[in-house]
Amino acid sequence: MKRITAIPLAALLAAAILVSGPGAQEPAPLVHAADDGLALTPPMGWYPWNAFGEEPQNEALIKEIVDALVSSGMREAGYVFVGPDEGVCFSRGADGRLTPNLGRYPSGLRGLGDYVHARGLKYALYTDAGTRTCSTAMPGTKDHELEDMRAFAAWRADYIKIDWCNTEGQDIVRSYTALHDAQHAAGRPVVHSLCSWGEGAPWQWAGRVGHLWRTTADICAPGQPDWAWGLRMAFANERLSAYAGPGRWNDPDMMIVGMPGLSDAQNRSLFSLWCMMAAPLIAGNDLRVMSPATAEILTNLEAIGIDQDPLGLQGRILWTDGNVSIWGGKRLFDGSQAVLAFNQGRYPADVRIAWKDLGIDPQSACYVRNLWTRRTQGPLTGGLSVGVAPDDVVFLRVATSDAFPLPPIISADAYRISLRTENSAPRTLTGSIKVTNRGSDELPFWTIGGGVPPWLSVRIIKDGQSQVFVNSVATAGLKKGFYYALVRADNVDPVSGRPMSSLYYDLDLEVVRNVSR
Ligand code: GLA
C-alpha cells in the first residue's frame, strides 16, 4: 500500500504558527560566554561513550580513533575534538590533586594530549560537577574546582564534558559557574560541555558559563543504539531552537550515526536532523570499522555546511502530521535557507514545499540543491514536491542563485609545535602549522592575538586554499629551560570586524644550554 501525504499550504502555515506558539519556550536574555572565540559554530568531534562505554577505554583505543579520524577524512571535514569519556582516566591523590591512571594511559594525560595535538586534533576530556562521576569510578570536581581545572589545563585539554552525577544538594547554576570561573583562573581557554541532561534548564542560563549543554537523556546505552529513542532526543531538542546561537548550543547528545543496527537511511536522517538543529556533531561510532556509507554520511560537507553555518540558527519543525515533518527556520549566511523533509512513517510520502511557507515570494525563481543526491534543480517558482522514503529525509537548500557556497570548514595539520635547541650560539628555530579551509571562499588572513612572548614571532603566508603559520623563535639570550606560548589567532570579518572563528595552538621550546646574545 502506498500512502500519499500532500500537505495543504494553509495547514503548513497554520501549523508553523502552532509549533512556534503555545508550548514553545521563550528565551531568557542571553549573555554570551567569555570572549574566547570558542565554539562560534557547533563543536565537532568524537567521544567514546556511545560505542564503548567505560571499560575498553584506554590510550591505545583513543590513539587508534585519532588515527582513524585523520585517515578517514573526518578531520578535514571538521571533526576535531577527541579524547576519553568516563573510563578511569585519573584518581585524586592524598594531596587533593588529580593523578593520571598510568595503567590505562601510559603516556599520561598530557602525553595523550600531545599525540592528539600533533595530529591536528583537539583534546577532549571528561569530568563531573559532583563528588564522583556517574559510574563513581572517578572523582568529581566538587570542592576541587580550581585544582582540577588547573590539571586539565596542564594536560592541555581544549574541551571538557562536565557531567552532573552525584550532585545531591548542589545548586546547578552555582556549580557550573564555579567551574567556569576556575577554568578562567587556570588560564587555558576550554570549551565547556555541560551534561545535566536538561536538568536545571541550562538553555536559560548556561550561555554565560559554557558553550553547549545537553538537553536530553542519554541517546543510548553503550553499544545499544535505538532509532526510536534517538528520534525522541531530536524532537525534545527541537523545542529549544530559540536558545541556540554562536558560542551557545543545545546538545541532543553524541550521535549514534553508523552504530550497528541502523540503516543508511536512518543514519542519513539522524545526521540531517543534527545538522538542521545546529547540534554539536560529536560522532559516537567505532571509526576503526566505519562502513564507506557511514563515512560518506558523516563527511558530507554540504550537510556539515548547514550545521556549521555562521549565523548559528537552530532549525525547527514548521509542520508535522506525526509521521512527516517539515523543518525550516534555518536561514544561512548567503541568504539561502535549509529545508528538511523527514518521514518517520512506514510508507513513502509525497511532500509539497511551498515558497510562501518558507517566507519566500511565490513568484521568486529559486534553485534547489539536494544535499544528499547533490543535484540542483531550478529555477522553480511556487515550490516543489518531493518523495520521501520511510525513515529517510530529503535535505534541501533553497536560494535565488545556484552558487550554494559552503561556509568556512577549518582544519589544521597540527595544534602543537615543539622546538628544541642545544646550541649556545643564537639561532632561529622555525615550526609551521597549516590551516586549511574547505569552505567555498578564501578566508581573510588570520590575525595573531596579543600575548605572544618576545622570543616568538608568527608570520602567516598563503598557500593555495591554506594559510601557513610560520613560527620563528630567536634564541639569543635565552636561559636554559622550558618555554611555552599559547598562540591565539582570529579570523576577523573585514566588514563587521567580528571574529568569525578563533584558533589556539601550543608552542613548546626547550633550551638545553644558556644561549649567548
Ligand atoms: C552520563 C552522560 C553520558 C556518559 C556517562 C558516563 O550518563 O550523559 O554521556 O558520559 O555519563 O558515565
Side-chain angles (χ1 to χ4, degrees):
M1 192 174 77
K2 191 172 155 131
R3 198 189 59 145
I4 301 291
T5 312
I7 297 174
L9 301 182
L12 242 177
L13 260 192
I17 292 161
L18 244 189
V19 170
S20 60
Q25 306 192 33
E26 286 303 315
L30 283 165
V31 181
H32 197 286
D35 181 25
D36 52 20
L38 293 173
L40 293 178
T41 58
M44 296 175 66
W46 182 91
Y47 246 119
W49 187 254
N50 286 358
F52 297 108
E54 185 190 332
E55 232 356 276
Q57 285 189 50
N58 58 33
E59 180 171 323
L61 172 72
I62 303 296
K63 286 182 167 174
E64 283 173 24
I65 296 288
V66 164
D67 297 345
L69 276 166
V70 177
S71 63
S72 63
M74 296 268 290
R75 179 185 74 177
E76 266 62 38
Y79 295 86
V80 289
F81 294 106
V82 59
D85 195 289
E86 171 147 18
V88 205
C89 305
F90 47 76
S91 56
R92 194 176 299 289
D95 60 358
R97 292 185 178 201
L98 297 181
T99 317
N101 177 348
L102 296 178
R104 277 196 192 211
Y105 295 91
S107 308
L109 290 173
R110 165 70 198 279
L112 181 58
D114 285 353
Y115 187 92
V116 167
H117 288 143
R119 283 152 187 81
L121 295 165
K122 299 207 143 248
Y123 194 28
L125 288 169
Y126 165 92
T127 190
D128 189 284
T131 50
R132 304 290 299 173
T133 56
C134 294
S135 71
T136 71
M138 291 160 75
T141 52
K142 170 88 172 60
D143 298 332
H144 295 273
E145 289 82 1
L146 185 55
E147 58 203 320
D148 287 8
M149 288 301 125
R150 283 191 176 137
F152 284 110
W155 295 330
R156 306 250 171 111
D158 306 299
Y159 179 112
I160 308 176
K161 172 174 168 183
I162 310 172
D163 228 326
W164 185 242
C165 284
N166 304 304
T167 52
E168 227 158 278
Q170 284 180 234
D171 178 90
I172 191 165
V173 180
R174 275 171 201 240
S175 298
Y176 279 113
T177 303
L179 285 163
H180 164 266
D181 294 348
Q183 179 253 310
H184 274 254
R188 184 175 177 84
V190 173
V191 175
H192 272 202
S193 160
L194 280 60
C195 182
S196 72
W197 327 285
E199 213 179 298
W203 43 89
Q204 290 181 346
W205 50 269
R208 292 190 293 270
V209 297
H211 304 87
L212 62 156
W213 46 84
R214 284 273 298 278
T215 56
T216 64
D218 284 8
I219 196 166
C220 67
Q224 294 172 41
D226 184 289
W227 163 244
W229 185 252
L231 292 183
R232 282 180 66 166
M233 305 303 104
F235 283 93
N237 191 69
E238 184 272 341
R239 293 169 51 83
L240 301 169
S241 61
Y243 296 92
R248 41 172 214 268
W249 307 105
N250 291 313
D251 175 11
D253 205 358
M254 301 165 288
M255 295 187 287
I256 54 173
V257 171
M259 289 183 69
L262 295 170
S263 68
D264 290 345
Q266 291 172 336
N267 287 328
R268 202 164 32 243
S269 295
L270 287 163
F271 192 65
S272 306
L273 289 165
W274 260 238
C275 291
M276 196 64 193
M277 292 193 291
L281 298 179
I282 309 294
N285 56 317
D286 185 348
L287 300 181
R288 301 168 307 171
V289 294
M290 178 164 56
S291 71
T294 296
E296 212 181 307
I297 290 168
L298 287 173
T299 59
N300 177 335
L301 288 188
E302 297 199 34
I304 290 171
I306 303 300
D307 184 79
Q308 295 292 303
D309 183 80
L311 300 186
L313 294 170
Q314 176 175 329
R316 60 179 197 280
I317 298 173
L318 301 179
W319 180 92
T320 181
D321 66 1
N323 282 321
V324 175
S325 49
I326 298 183
W327 299 57
K330 191 156 176 46
R331 196 164 43 83
L332 306 170
F333 76 109
D334 64 331
S336 66
Q337 55 177 298
V339 183
L340 182 72
F342 172 44
N343 182 4
Q344 288 171 262
R346 291 169 58 194
Y347 306 104
D350 275 349
V351 176
R352 176 78 188 158
I353 294 167
W355 291 174
K356 81 175 173 67
D357 303 321
L358 304 177
I360 301 173
D361 177 351
Q363 303 310 318
S364 278
C366 289
Y367 294 87
V368 178
R369 177 77 176 167
N370 184 314
L371 306 183
W372 290 114
T373 64
R374 296 167 201 255
R375 288 205 193 99
T376 302
Q377 271 178 277
L380 305 173
T381 48
L384 87 162
S385 298
V386 293
V388 196
D391 288 357
D392 214 335
V393 284
V394 172
F395 198 8
L396 304 172
R397 206 167 145 185
V398 181
T400 49
S401 114
D402 64 353
F404 297 109
L406 284 181
I409 296 172
I410 294 160
S411 60
D413 61 357
Y415 284 106
R416 177 179 180 236
I417 291 176
S418 174
L419 299 170
R420 184 171 187 271
T421 180
E422 295 189 5
N423 225 293
S424 54
R427 296 221 150 162
T428 301
L429 312 171
T430 57
S432 297
I433 283 180
K434 188 175 192 173
V435 177
T436 303
N437 169 31
R438 296 193 61 199
S440 304
D441 290 331
E442 280 187 20
L443 294 182
F445 264 104
W446 294 86
T447 50
I448 301 296
V452 175
W455 43 267
L456 173 65
S457 68
V458 186
R459 190 164 52 98
I460 301 175
I461 55 176
K462 191 169 144 42
D463 178 11
Q465 269 287 91
S466 305
Q467 294 181 31
V468 180
F469 291 56
V470 183
N471 297 263
S472 306
V473 168
T475 64
L478 292 182
K479 298 251 170 323
K480 173 179 176 208
F482 293 93
Y483 295 75
Y484 170 70
L486 176 71
V487 181
R488 172 178 178 165
D490 290 304
N491 202 252
V492 177
D493 177 358
V495 179
S496 66
R498 199 175 60 96
M500 299 190 293
S501 50
S502 301
L503 67 82
Y504 294 85
Y505 62 89
D506 299 296
L507 189 142
D508 287 299
L509 166 67
E510 184 184 359
V511 176
V512 177
R513 284 191 192 87
N514 289 344
V515 185
S516 59
R517 287 224 160 258

